[in-house]
Amino acid sequence: MIDVKVKYADNTVSIDFPCSGNHLEAMLAELRVDDMTKADLWIEKVSNFETFSFMENNFINLDELNYLAAKMDCLDNRELKKYCCVIEEFKIRNMPDLINLTQNLHRYTLIQDMSSAEKVGREHYLTRNIAISESDCQTINFSEIGKELINSGRGRFTEYGMLFINDDIPAEYVYEGIPTDENYLRDKLTEVEIDNGKKKMFLWLPE
């Protein structure tokens, strides 16, 4: 997903994120990091993901980067394009904000094809509601939704397409900068979201 060249003292190593905790520890050992609890290391180069080029020549928390890469790994190509679009449009550089954005993509509608109001409306509805039921397909006027969105004047022209912010959908701040679990660093079979009505958390199984 994200290939990063990390430097420590005179040593460099390339790490492909996301990775298991054991692999990350092995790479830090190869770098000869004297303090294995040191999470912020110098990023010399970011390959195959131009959107994160701002990380180059900066100290980045590798645990957070690994967590971010794991969350991005769950995005499909459509979501990933929108993710990059929002980052570049709003110049998001803070790691917690980058992580939380992966959970808030339904707050943004990205339209890459404006040729059909029906397609625009369907994309907008799907973005906001995550899924479309068969009954919705039969009863909802997607063309009307598309026309309303296009004529709203809220669109922002980007190199990825027309971006709309769904301000009425509240942002969710799942990650607050304090890791409560390190299971994302380990090999996992599945991720489970739990919600008590006030706060959401994630479990990485089988841990």
Side-chain angles (χ1 to χ4, degrees):
M1 172 62 73
I2 309 171
D3 187 26
V4 175
K5 181 179 288 185
V6 183
K7 183 174 183 179
Y8 182 78
D10 294 327
N11 304 312
T12 60
V13 67
S14 290
I15 306 175
D16 190 19
F17 293 97
C19 62
S20 68
N22 289 337
H23 180 72
L24 184 56
E25 289 179 5
M27 293 296 97
L28 294 180
E30 188 173 328
L31 279 172
R32 298 181 182 178
V33 176
D34 51 6
D35 181 3
M36 295 298 284
T37 64
K38 185 178 180 65
D40 290 4
L41 290 177
W42 185 259
I43 303 299
E44 190 171 86
K45 179 69 176 178
V46 178
S47 302
N48 73 357
F49 206 80
E50 186 178 349
T51 301
F52 285 168
S53 60
F54 65 85
M55 294 184 182
E56 295 178 354
N57 300 316
N58 281 293
F59 285 99
I60 297 295
N61 186 298
L62 297 190
D63 286 342
E64 288 187 322
L65 179 57
N66 202 22
Y67 181 39
L68 171 60
K71 301 301 293 181
M72 292 172 57
D73 206 30
C74 299
L75 304 179
D76 60 29
N77 289 335
R78 168 176 150 274
E79 292 170 323
L80 197 57
K81 285 182 180 178
K82 181 162 57 175
Y83 182 73
C84 293
C85 177
V86 175
I87 290 174
E88 295 178 12
E89 183 69 15
F90 297 100
K91 302 294 186 292
I92 300 175
R93 300 293 183 262
N94 179 272
M95 190 63 77
D97 289 342
L98 291 169
I99 293 171
N100 281 314
L101 178 58
T102 63
Q103 299 296 131
N104 287 283
L105 290 177
H106 57 302
R107 297 191 71 238
Y108 304 91
T109 296
L110 179 64
I111 303 299
Q112 297 180 287
D113 182 2
M114 303 283 286
S115 61
S116 167
E118 191 274 337
K119 288 183 179 179
V120 171
R122 186 177 293 270
E123 177 68 26
H124 185 50
Y125 185 91
L126 180 61
T127 294
R128 293 175 56 88
N129 297 278
I130 310 302
I132 302 176
S133 68
E134 186 174 345
S135 61
D136 286 342
C137 290
Q138 300 299 323
T139 60
I140 294 177
N141 189 334
F142 293 111
S143 181
E144 188 63 31
I145 293 175
K147 290 177 182 177
E148 183 178 342
L149 183 68
I150 293 171
N151 296 326
S152 68
R154 296 187 293 108
R156 305 167 69 111
F157 286 102
T158 75
E159 62 177 293
Y160 294 88
M162 185 75 78
L163 182 68
F164 297 85
I165 307 173
N166 302 316
D167 288 318
D168 58 313
I169 299 178
E172 298 180 359
Y173 298 97
V174 177
Y175 181 77
E176 299 175 347
I178 303 176
T180 57
D181 189 294
E182 293 186 352
N183 289 334
Y184 67 89
L185 293 174
R186 304 184 176 94
D187 294 329
K188 61 181 185 294
L189 294 179
T190 189
E191 175 185 314
V192 178
E193 177 183 319
I194 58 176
D195 186 347
N196 67 358
K198 296 181 179 179
K199 187 172 183 178
K200 289 184 179 181
M201 295 187 70
F202 295 86
L203 303 179
W204 287 266
L205 304 180
E207 296 294 341

